[in-house]
Amino acid sequence: MSPEPFLGTTSHSPVRHHILSVLVENKAGVLARIAGLFARRGFNIYSLAVAPSEGHARFSRVTIVVDAESAPLEQIVGQLDKLVNVVAITDLAPSDAVERELLLATIVTDTANRTPLLDLLANAGAAIVDVDPGAVTVMLAGTPRACDELERSLETFSGVEIHRTGRVALPRLGEPAPK
Amino acid sequence: MQLSGAAALIKSLEQQGVDTVFGLPGGAILPVYDPLIDSTIRHILVRHEQGAGHMAEGYSLATGRPGVAIVTSGPGATNIVTPIANAHMDSTPLVVITGQVATGMIGTDAFQECDITGITMGITKHNFLIQSAQEIPRVVAAAFHLATTGRPGPVLIDVPKDVAQSMMDWWYPASVDEYDLPGYRPEVPLDEDALARAVALIGQSERPVLYVGGGTLKSNAAKELIAFAERTRMPVVTTLMARGAFPDSHELHLGMPGMHGVYAAVMAIQKSDLLISLGARFDDRVTGKTSSFAAGAKVIHVDIDRAEFNKIRRVDVALQSNIGNALQALDAAGAAPKSLDPWWQQLRHWQAQYPLVYDEPTTDGPLRPQHVIEAIAKKAEPGSIVTSGVGQHQMWAAQFWPFEEPGTWINSGGAGTMGFGVPAAIGAKVGRPDRTVWCIDGDGCFQMTAQELVTARAEGIPIKVAILNNAYLGMVRQWQEMFYEERYSEVYLSADLPDYVKWAEAMGCVGLRATNLKEMHDVIDEANTINDVPVVIDFRTDATEKVFPMVAAGASNDDLMVHPSQRAGA
Ligand SMILES: Cc1ncc(C[n+]2csc(CCOP(=O)(O)OP(=O)(O)O)c2C)c(N)n1
Ligand SMILES: [Mg+2]
């Protein structure tokens, strides 16, 4: 059976979420099949990340974060598994997973906000990836919670544009967390 | 060998052992119709693509083999959407081939373009848009494999016109390994732990019921079911989709459960302590209000599709397996309940107390629909196949026709598609020409797909159609009478418009009519002598007749309403 979902409190994560790491055939229309399945059954997708898997052109890895409260996980997994193009499904509880996400943000800068901004970025471990005289683009690769926190901190600045990738995840190494 | 994509498609169908396809040509599918002329495959030219789909379903349900339909793009494809949805709901194996505009035109709103793979994504087991002629054999082989294995269902293949016209080097996949289906695992090994828990639950049971669904027919498990039921002496109920999976004449059979089920079958489930679901899916037409459905029962759910487990009902043991294998394994493990004598005493009491009944027929008519069905059944050869539309007549056919073997009852269960009966009968007769095929139809349903009788006459397919003509959309009328204070809204059809006898004759069929008891017997006898052309009989039945027993929508099965003559004070 699936482990107990994590009871989180971050502003951007669903309260009880599950991570489905789904290996699919890299074919036209596969994402539509997955998205359609969720839509048809009224399950909400919280975040979705897709990329070719392990260097193969043949398969892609889709990481889907679902709100385990609004959707019956067993049904989702059972229905996903019936999609012919779905090769394998790993259902990860957050406590058993290493989750990472990438956040990019462009912030309009001026002489007044530059110092507090640089302090904040240094604290968060974010890197500057692009600059011009009036703006800076920064990057944070971290836990979804770290991304949430940076996003919240940046709310005090004006002229901020934020893009997040949605998370990817792998099972934690070693013993699974006690249930 | 170089072949056009179209020729490769037809040759691939031949490789799959296809003997009959149902279809209607048009622009985008034109290339595919050319090599069909030289093929051994019989093509049945329908008058509407919906007919092709339902015929393919009827063919499949009568033979156990996949049904095949070919239609053109755009409206041809959308016309067959209803049968695809119907087959999806009832897990009927179909392969539907649709024409598509040329690949370079896709997405440009070209003439008769429509995104049929998008439209049917949610109502097919899988669908394919073919990209190149070279992959046609693989896609066809994969489509048949998908349609017929695991939980069966419809598979659609969309063939762009230029792909059909381009050339390929002929090949054919030698085995499943070449189908390129890395994510498809239709069967899993039986979970021994779950099996052991099932055996233990059965061992503790004093009031078990075998709740037999359509999956039992799909996995050809009728023999295993009889063996298991006879050894354990467990009572059997067969759902609308499973009629024929267990002989109605068998002493262990209580009949059909559900909204219009037999009292003893409904109550057996309600009071059971163990429900063994065999390829059934706890449909709301069976469960009534789910919270009070078999409230005191433990549940063993056997199904090939794991997504059925815990969908409607929390189960105690989920056994993912085809039905035959699971029953054999339970037999081998010696699964046996406690003494069922007290249980059978109770069941026999319910059977005696509330059998299926209807009011005495009157000599002068109008006819009693249930009586008409019984009269046809009595005069029919054993093994006759029955199809139906959707409505009261369907429920009466399921209740009153005695089904003895698999493949003899063909109806639209999950979708409830009016108009299913006539084309399904044609498909069944094509698949089983040795059998008599009766369609028990409603007057409303008949008007939806009757034009296929032209197909039947033209192709020499002699089916028999009994219209239970109550001049109404009877099932809807029944609900309006019972739950909408007899406010009849848009349900009257007229018994005389159309004139069914003339209509039948215009379509090249024999048309007959019966308004009283003597005529009823005469026309059935006459129909039974006609074996070369289709026969249509207009039976004038009582419009006020209602289907009983009945559980009102959303009500508990405990509140089953029996026939008025069986109620207290009657
Ligand atoms: C395509 C379609 N449209 C509407 C319905 C709703 N419906 C269910 S039964 C029924 C009445 C069927 O009338 P008829 O064929 O005369 O059968 P009867 O109930 O009178 O025996 C209707 C309209 C349906 N099931 N299918
Ligand atoms: Mg009617």
Side-chain angles (χ1 to χ4, degrees):
Chain A
M1 274 314 320
S2 51
E4 273 301 297
F6 163 78
L7 288 160
T9 51
T10 56
S11 61
H12 288 275
S13 299
V15 180
R16 287 183 347 133
H17 71 275
H18 252 256
I19 309 152
L20 299 174
S21 177
V22 187
L23 190 69
V24 302
E25 289 183 79
N26 184 2
K27 284 186 177 161
V30 174
L31 201 56
R33 287 179 202 278
I34 292 175
L37 188 149
F38 276 78
R40 271 195 302 284
R41 288 171 192 269
F43 305 154
N44 189 31
I45 295 177
Y46 171 71
S47 88
L48 184 79
V50 194
S53 147
E54 285 116 49
H56 298 292
R58 193 167 170 220
F59 299 112
S60 291
R61 169 85 48 195
V62 183
T63 308
I64 308 170
V65 178
V66 293
D67 175 353
E69 232 154 43
S70 73
L73 192 68
E74 183 185 5
Q75 266 297 300
I76 297 179
V77 173
Q79 295 292 345
L80 269 180
D81 197 34
K82 287 210 294 187
L83 291 181
V84 169
N85 299 125
V86 168
V87 179
I89 305 168
T90 316
D91 159 24
L92 288 170
S95 55
D96 295 336
V98 177
E99 302 175 72
R100 287 298 180 272
E101 186 171 357
L102 185 72
L103 178 151
L104 283 181
T106 296
I107 306 120
V108 175
T109 52
D110 53 40
T111 42
N113 75 7
R114 196 167 298 251
T115 313
L117 177 64
L118 290 178
D119 285 350
L120 191 158
L121 294 175
N123 259 339
I128 294 174
V129 292
D130 197 15
V131 276
D132 81 1
V136 55
T137 296
V138 303
M139 170 195 100
L140 176 69
T143 61
R145 187 186 292 244
C147 293
D148 286 350
E149 279 163 11
L150 177 59
E151 187 173 345
R152 219 175 304 121
S153 307
L154 288 173
E155 276 168 14
T156 56
F157 294 83
S158 55
V160 180
E161 187 185 346
I162 294 177
H163 283 197
R164 293 174 63 164
T165 57
R167 71 195 74 181
V168 293
L170 280 173
R172 220 169 256 295
L173 300 177
E175 289 295 301
K179 309 233 161 106
Chain B
M1 177 177 43
Q2 283 261 310
L3 288 181
S4 71
L9 181 63
I10 298 301
K11 200 171 163 67
S12 298
L13 295 179
E14 290 169 354
Q15 292 278 337
Q16 285 295 327
V18 173
D19 56 18
T20 310
V21 298
F22 305 89
L24 193 148
I29 198 75
L30 261 171
V32 174
Y33 268 79
D34 186 69
L36 199 53
I37 295 180
D38 306 316
S39 171
T40 54
I41 295 173
R42 178 182 185 190
H43 181 274
I44 308 265
L45 176 61
V46 300
R47 268 49 179 178
H48 185 295
E49 290 88 350
Q50 183 186 359
H54 292 322
M55 285 178 205
E57 291 181 271
Y59 175 97
S60 176
L61 292 167
T63 62
R65 299 194 299 272
V68 183
I70 306 183
V71 299
T72 193
S73 66
T78 55
N79 272 350
I80 204 164
V81 166
T82 296
I84 292 172
N86 191 78
H88 188 62
M89 290 295 273
D90 287 348
S91 304
T92 304
L94 289 191
V95 174
V96 175
I97 295 162
T98 49
Q100 182 54 277
V101 301
T103 44
M105 305 284 279
I106 290 178
T108 68
D109 302 327
F111 178 63
Q112 293 192 331
E113 177 183 358
C114 107
D115 172 19
I116 196 63
T117 49
I119 288 172
T120 60
M121 214 169 252
I123 51 168
T124 49
K125 183 167 172 184
H126 193 58
N127 58 28
F128 297 91
L129 172 59
I130 297 201
Q131 311 280 355
S132 85
Q134 201 56 39
E135 65 175 345
I136 285 175
R138 179 184 63 71
V139 169
V140 171
F144 278 83
H145 180 63
L146 290 170
T148 55
T149 54
R151 180 176 182 165
V155 178
L156 181 137
I157 306 175
D158 203 18
V159 188
K161 189 169 188 179
D162 58 324
V163 170
Q165 284 166 326
S166 63
M167 300 305 285
M168 54 88 71
D169 290 314
W170 171 252
W171 69 293
Y172 204 75
S175 76
V176 181
D177 300 335
E178 292 177 41
Y179 293 177
D180 188 27
L181 298 172
Y184 184 63
R185 294 164 307 274
E187 303 260 345
V188 298
L190 202 65
D191 178 347
E192 293 297 332
D193 178 52
L195 183 73
R197 284 185 289 124
V199 173
L201 273 188
I202 291 171
Q204 293 157 14
S205 160
E206 295 175 338
R207 298 187 310 279
V209 173
L210 294 173
Y211 161 36
V212 176
T216 301
L217 289 172
K218 296 296 189 270
S219 48
N220 288 319
K223 258 211 213 92
E224 289 87 347
L225 174 61
I226 290 194
F228 183 78
E230 288 184 345
R231 186 180 60 77
T232 59
R233 310 287 309 156
M234 288 190 198
V236 174
V237 303
T238 51
T239 68
L240 183 67
M241 289 311 297
R243 306 288 292 121
F246 196 76
D248 275 341
S249 60
H250 199 290
E251 51 147 356
L252 298 174
H253 199 173
L254 304 178
M256 181 170 79
M259 180 177 267
H260 294 297
V262 179
Y263 184 88
V266 176
M267 286 307 149
I269 292 182
Q270 288 305 86
K271 304 296 180 209
S272 65
D273 66 356
L274 177 65
L275 200 54
I276 304 178
S277 169
L278 302 172
R281 56 181 179 79
F282 297 84
D283 183 85
D284 53 275
R285 287 305 194 253
V286 168
T287 62
K289 190 171 155 201
T290 43
S291 59
S292 64
F293 176 70
K298 298 244 190 295
V299 176
I300 298 172
H301 194 168
V302 187
D303 208 291
I304 193 94
D305 178 2
R306 72 181 256 209
E308 287 302 335
F309 302 137
N310 300 317
K311 185 183 79 175
I312 305 289
R313 171 70 178 237
R314 279 260 133 216
V315 301
D316 298 279
V317 178
L319 211 49
Q320 192 182 0
S321 169
N322 83 45
I323 308 305
N325 288 355
L327 288 175
Q328 276 178 350
L330 287 171
D331 262 334
K338 298 196 166 150
S339 164
L340 299 185
D341 292 347
W343 185 220
W344 271 111
Q345 224 170 355
Q346 172 69 73
L347 297 172
R348 293 299 181 218
H349 174 69
W350 283 330
Q351 285 184 302
Q353 202 177 8
Y354 297 114
L356 282 179
V357 291
Y358 55 90
D359 290 330
E360 267 301 294
T362 55
T363 327
D364 298 334
L367 301 167
R368 295 254 175 253
Q370 306 94 326
H371 186 228
V372 174
I373 291 167
E374 284 195 328
I376 296 172
K378 272 206 193 87
K379 292 172 192 255
E381 292 165 36
S384 291
I385 293 171
V386 182
T387 75
S388 82
V390 169
Q392 293 180 309
H393 62 281
Q394 172 191 28
M395 291 300 118
W396 286 318
Q399 290 177 332
F400 288 97
W401 191 287
F403 295 102
E404 292 296 310
E405 56 170 306
T408 53
W409 168 239
I410 293 173
N411 87 133
S412 166
T417 305
M418 284 177 70
F420 177 82
V422 166
I426 294 170
K429 182 73 183 171
V430 170
R432 296 298 306 265
D434 54 317
R435 299 284 178 109
T436 299
V437 180
W438 274 98
C439 169
I440 306 289
D441 217 356
D443 46 333
C445 287
F446 183 82
Q447 293 187 58
M448 287 208 179
T449 51
Q451 80 286 341
E452 296 311 334
L453 284 164
V454 178
T455 305
R457 172 60 207 258
E459 297 275 349
I461 306 163
I463 61 165
K464 303 185 202 303
V465 182
I467 304 171
L468 302 184
N469 180 1
N470 55 7
Y472 275 95
L473 298 169
M475 186 57 96
V476 183
R477 185 194 181 283
Q478 172 166 349
W479 284 54
Q480 289 178 348
E481 179 181 330
M482 295 175 68
F483 309 118
Y484 290 85
E485 287 132 26
E486 299 180 43
R487 285 161 56 84
Y488 298 115
S489 176
E490 303 299 327
V491 285
Y492 178 64
L493 295 176
S494 158
D496 301 302
L497 180 68
D499 181 326
Y500 293 100
V501 171
K502 281 191 189 156
W503 191 5
E505 286 168 357
M507 294 188 286
C509 307
V510 173
L512 304 169
R513 177 170 292 132
T515 58
N516 58 42
L517 273 195
K518 182 178 179 312
E519 287 172 4
M520 179 188 85
H521 288 292
D522 288 349
V523 293
I524 295 171
D525 290 336
E526 188 176 347
N528 282 336
T529 64
I530 300 167
N531 290 310
D532 50 350
V533 295
V535 187
V536 176
I537 310 177
D538 173 12
F539 289 101
R540 297 297 174 96
T541 61
D542 189 339
T544 64
E545 196 61 52
K546 285 176 286 299
V547 185
F548 286 112
M550 177 172 191
V551 181
S556 162
N557 281 357
D558 291 331
D559 301 326
L560 183 69
M561 287 179 270
V562 292
H563 190 268
S565 69
Q566 297 170 320
R567 293 178 200 166

